[in-house]
Amino acid sequence: MVRQLGCPTLFFTVSAAETDSTELLAILFRIMMNDDPEPEEIEQWTFLEKAELIRDDPVTCVRYFDHRFRALFNTVMRSADGPLGEICDFFYRVEFQHRGSPHIHGLIWVKDAPVYDPEKEDSESDVTSFIDRHITCHVPQEN
């Protein structure tokens, strides 16, 4: 793809982060215990309690992750007025960590995204502007 399409505009990684997903944990609890937990109850669970639910039903966890990723990617990212602009091509691959948790690595080619060319005077600032519009980061205040 790189040979045919050129350098991708963005590389991304998406992880499942199952222990942080209150919705997934509620689904797993409902399946295992045939009961609906309160959101406040889920927030009080220890990491080990959450991990046990996740470990006991890996199929539901992977299906949930796949559904959420496809909804995000196809409905939001690839929409006509998506946050990155028009995605003209993409590639992604689902991988599994040693403990079985899925994650995705992908490449996105955005139509009319600026490409760095050292011969062009405004090239660096155009690319920097594009990056600053779409990517942010910060250092948390605590820890």
Side-chain angles (χ1 to χ4, degrees), residues 111-129:
K111 183 179 180 181
D112 299 326
V115 177
Y116 177 69
D117 181 353
E119 303 296 317
K120 294 183 180 174
E121 190 174 312
D122 293 335
S123 177
E124 186 175 343
S125 65
D126 291 345
V127 170
T128 302
S129 263

Side-chain angles (χ1 to χ4, degrees), residues 75-102:
T75 306
V76 177
M77 303 303 291
R78 292 187 63 205
S79 71
D81 46 334
L84 298 174
E86 183 182 340
I87 294 176
C88 51
D89 228 318
F90 64 90
F91 168 82
Y92 64 84
R93 176 184 178 133
V94 180
E95 297 177 352
F96 293 85
Q97 298 168 334
H98 295 293
R99 61 186 174 86
S101 183

